[in-house]
Every structure is written in structure tokens, then in C-alpha cells.
Amino acid sequence: MATTHEVPTREKARSGAHAAKAFAAQSATSELGPHTIQRRTPLENDVQIEILFCGVCHSDLHQARNEWSSVMPTVYPCVPGHEIVGRVTQVGSGVKKFKPGDLAAVGCLVDSDRTCRECQAGQEQFCTNFTLTYNFPDKHLGGVTYGGYSDEIVVDERFVLHVPSNLDLAGAAPLLCAGITTYSPIRHWGVTKGKKVGVVGLGGLGHMAVKFAHALGAQTVVFTTSPSKKEDAFRLGADEVVISKNANEMQKHAGSFDFILDAVAADHDINAYINLLGRDGNITLVGAPDKPLAVSAFGLIMGRHSLSGSPIGGLPETQEMLDFCGQHYSTADVEVIPIQKINEAYERLVRSDVKYRFSIDMASLK
Ligand SMILES: NC(=O)c1ccc[n+]([C@@H]2O[C@H](COP(=O)([O-])OP(=O)(O)OC[C@H]3O[C@@H](n4cnc5c(N)ncnc54)[C@H](OP(=O)(O)O)[C@@H]3O)[C@@H](O)[C@H]2O)c1
Ligand SMILES: [Zn+2]
Ligand SMILES: [Zn+2]
């Protein structure tokens, strides 16, 4: 039997909510297209933001296409986007940090329980009760949360960040995921002058990692499968660039790294990088390919190497990262696109053909 799906309009919104424009995937195999969603009416501690730019993370693509079905199955329609910058249009009566007209940013988290040990330590990314910006149960409206491929969003002020006023907004948007996801492990593992640091995969995350490692004074080596990115890697701050398909070039670095950040979005041989670590060296995965990676026990045993992962970052560290970027006048290198080009952008992401982040100009959704 055919069912009718009622699309809410601005006039016909649920009580306590209003309609907003968005772009959504309706299934794992359909292209993204225009869609109407509900946003809640700002509550006491809420900030309503007109979205100006939203970065395009490879996680958006993984989830739009349900590639993480075993861990985080996608609920459709899915509105991706967790690299959000915009301008505050309205605030609830209890909001202290923002007023209408301010710049504001939202990353991968829009809520958490605020009471657990992790939340109290400002490490909300480890809260077992957090709410992700999209494809996560929405405590206010039911259904799932909808991300930044939209003209507006309403978020509790604890999860809203300040954007340094000297930063280009299109380039600042990707800091909210690509920036914090690389900054956090780089700080955690003590990247600094005198350390040798590798970055694997020069995409959205990878190019931010190169900028941070270089800014912190580390000797920075980029591993790429794309020879065409070599010059850019040097410009972004690499001291050396290795084409990872070349075994001889790889071998020259055996046993020499203090830390390697792996930001590859697809299946690859991680053992080739574990072998490049020096004694007690660590390799951290931020890339999240859908299939498990095979790890050689000997690669870890010899040299007492360690393999870790790292998810995004907490709110205080995200603000610290934004302020660090403000001080260094540093943002992501972006190609600005209208929302109507999102499907083309996804195809280019799959081909590693992005320099180095797509940032959607949300004026195109009006
Ligand atoms: N841990 C977290 O919290 C977190 C947060 C955000 C994103 N992620 C994940 O991190 C990954 C990277 O995201 P992104 O947005 O930076 O993606 P991206 O812009 O597509 O960059 C990924 C890069 O990986 C390299 N690559 C792609 N396919 C490869 C293959 N088959 N073998 C070797 N290298 C390959 C390419 O770099 P080269 O051309 O230089 O080889 C590519 O540019 C994704 O899986 C994403 O979901 C995780
Ligand atoms: Zn992301
Ligand atoms: Zn918590």
C-alpha cells in the first residue's frame, strides 16, 4: 500500500518546532537532495544559528551511504554535516555566552549528560550518553538529529563554540571536525619540537594534521598515495614527503618515528607504518575505514610500539584548537561549493580528489 509522507512547512510545523531547509540522503544508494526537517524552538539555554558554511567530512559520506552499518547504522532520511559555522539569530533567556549577531560554531557533538566523569573533565567525546550532531537519537523532537547541510541549527550553548574573528569562515568550518580530530591526538601524544611525526593520507584530516605538527615545531613527514599532492604537502608544512607505494622510500624511514597519525579513509596496510615507528613509538588511527585492519603482532612487539585510536575532542579542547588557529591565522584549505554540488563532491572524495576540504556555502540553499 502506498503511504504518504507529509512534509512539514514553516506554517505547519510541530508544536515547539519549526521547519528548516536541508539536504538529505533518503537511502544508502540515493543521491542527496532537498528535504525539509524540523528544528526545535530555542529553549532556555539554546542558541539558534543561521548556518553560513558547513565542511564536508568523509564521515558524512560513510554515513550517508551506511558504510558504518555494523557500528552506527544510518537512519534515513539522513542530513549529514558536523563542521558548522554561522551567525546567532536568537538565544534563549538563560544563554550567557552568545547574543544575536555573534559568530558561532558547532562540531560533532550537540549534547551529553554533563554529569559523568568525562563531561566534568571537559572530555565530552568519551561520555557514554553523548548526542552526535546527526544520525543520533534526538532527545527533544524524537527521531534522529540532523546535521549542518541545512540553513539553521538549534544547539545548547554548552556545545556551541566561538570562532576567532580573524578567520575566514569557509576555511574555519572544517576545524570543527578535521581540526579537532587531529589536534587532540597530536597534543595528547606530545608532538613538539624534536619529535619526528608522520601523517598518513593528505585529505581533510591529514592536511590539518600537517599544519598542526609543523606549527608545533615537529619534523613532519607526509605519506601519500597521490604524487600530485607532493608540492602542496611541502607548502602545508611538511619537511619530507613519501609516496607510500614506493617501498624503497618507505624503508628509509624504518624505526624512526615518535608518532604517526593515520587519517586514511579506506582499507590499507597499517603494518607498513607500524614498522616505521621507533622504540615506544605510537601510531594513532583517526581514519575509520569500514572493514577491520589486519595488524601484525610482531610489528607491535618489536620496539614496544603501540596502536591507538582517537575520536574528535571535548568542548574545551575544541575551543583551544580554534583559538590556536586564530593565533596562527590558520584554517583549512577549502574548495567552496554550493550544496547542489554535494553529490559530485562525494564522488571526488572517494577518488582522494579534494584540496583539501569541501566547504558548502549555505547561501546556496536559500
Ligand atoms: N576519529 C574521528 O573522530 C574521525 C573524525 C573525522 C573523520 N574520521 C575519519 O577519518 C577518515 C579521513 O577523513 P577525511 O575527511 O580526512 O577524508 P578524505 O578527505 O577523503 O581523506 C582521506 C585520505 O586518505 C587517503 N586515501 C584514500 N584512500 C586510500 C587508500 N585506498 N589507500 C591509502 N590512502 C588512501 C587519501 O590521501 P592521499 O591521496 O594523500 O593518499 C585521502 O585524501 C575517514 O574515514 C573519516 O570517517 C574520523
Ligand atoms: Zn567529521
Ligand atoms: Zn557525560
Side-chain angles (χ1 to χ4, degrees):
M1 194 179 77
T3 55
T4 53
H5 176 69
E6 193 182 12
V7 179
T9 63
R10 277 188 195 277
E11 293 72 40
K12 264 172 53 179
R14 256 179 256 161
S15 97
H18 56 275
K21 288 185 181 175
F23 248 57
Q26 301 290 346
S27 78
T29 51
S30 62
E31 294 203 321
L32 276 73
H35 182 65
T36 303
I37 56 170
Q38 299 275 304
R39 296 291 192 195
R40 68 178 180 267
T41 306
L43 304 171
E44 191 182 354
N45 297 312
D46 281 342
V47 178
Q48 183 175 34
I49 301 164
E50 178 198 1
I51 300 175
L52 299 176
F53 292 95
C54 184
V56 179
C57 181
H58 206 114
S59 304
D60 298 350
L61 185 159
H62 287 309
Q63 292 194 71
R65 298 185 177 177
N66 203 13
E67 289 175 356
W68 291 342
S69 56
S70 58
V71 203
M72 252 186 228
T74 304
V75 177
Y76 295 96
C78 171
V79 178
H82 55 208
E83 296 185 333
I84 298 165
V85 295
R87 208 168 275 287
V88 176
T89 49
Q90 219 192 116
V91 297
S93 58
V95 170
K96 297 193 176 64
K97 293 190 308 184
F98 293 90
K99 59 180 188 319
D102 285 352
L103 289 175
V106 178
C108 303
L109 295 168
V110 289
D111 206 357
S112 70
D113 60 25
R114 302 140 200 240
T115 53
C116 74
R117 204 176 59 148
E118 305 300 352
C119 286
Q120 283 181 1
Q123 305 263 16
E124 296 88 350
Q125 76 274 35
F126 300 118
C127 176
T128 50
N129 296 305
F130 65 33
T131 303
L132 295 175
T133 304
Y134 63 86
N135 194 35
F136 224 75
D138 184 330
K139 289 185 204 148
H140 297 272
L141 297 179
V144 291
T145 50
Y146 296 123
Y149 297 5
S150 172
D151 58 355
E152 65 149 286
I153 192 163
V154 177
V155 181
D156 185 290
E157 74 166 328
R158 178 176 170 145
F159 295 84
V160 184
L161 297 134
H162 289 285
V163 185
S165 59
N166 61 328
L167 295 183
D168 166 65
L169 294 184
L175 300 177
L176 278 300
C177 178
I180 185 58
T181 301
T182 52
Y183 183 86
S184 184
I186 280 175
R187 295 314 293 250
H188 177 79
W189 289 97
V191 168
T192 182
K193 200 168 163 39
K195 301 278 181 173
K196 185 172 174 185
V197 171
V199 175
V200 188
L202 200 63
L205 267 57
H207 95 290
M208 286 311 307
V210 174
K211 290 188 185 205
F212 290 134
H214 175 73
L216 293 166
Q219 184 193 347
T220 308
V221 181
V222 167
F223 295 92
T224 179
T225 58
S226 310
S228 63
K229 294 180 181 172
K230 202 163 181 171
E231 266 175 43
D232 282 342
F234 284 120
R235 178 179 55 77
L236 292 164
D239 298 292
E240 223 172 307
V241 182
V242 174
I243 306 302
S244 51
K245 292 169 186 159
N246 183 326
N248 286 340
E249 272 192 60
M250 293 286 282
Q251 192 50 37
K252 277 189 218 150
H253 292 272
S256 68
F257 281 88
D258 295 293
F259 176 68
I260 297 177
L261 192 75
D262 183 330
V264 173
D267 190 25
H268 62 292
D269 178 19
I270 192 179
N271 300 298
Y273 299 99
I274 293 175
N275 293 335
L276 304 187
L277 293 171
R279 172 166 57 79
D280 291 320
N282 170 269
I283 180 163
T284 291
L285 285 179
V286 284
D290 50 339
K291 296 201 179 59
L293 298 168
V295 177
S296 150
F298 288 99
L300 290 177
I301 292 168
M302 310 308 279
R304 200 163 52 193
H305 301 147
S306 63
L307 165 63
S308 320
S310 186
I312 49 173
L315 271 298
E317 196 175 38
T318 305
Q319 190 61 61
E320 178 190 309
M321 177 274 311
L322 285 167
D323 296 343
F324 180 93
C325 289
Q327 282 150 19
H328 289 81
Y329 291 87
S330 185
T331 54
D333 288 27
V334 291
E335 182 176 334
V336 177
I337 57 164
I339 188 82
Q340 292 77 12
K341 292 252 170 168
I342 189 65
N343 297 302
E344 205 177 297
Y346 277 15
E347 288 311 314
R348 286 181 52 195
L349 266 187
V350 171
R351 298 198 300 268
S352 304
D353 174 25
V354 46
K355 295 189 169 175
Y356 280 87
R357 197 57 140 190
F358 294 110
S359 186
I360 306 166
D361 181 351
M362 221 42 86
S364 60
L365 190 57
K366 294 241 180 316

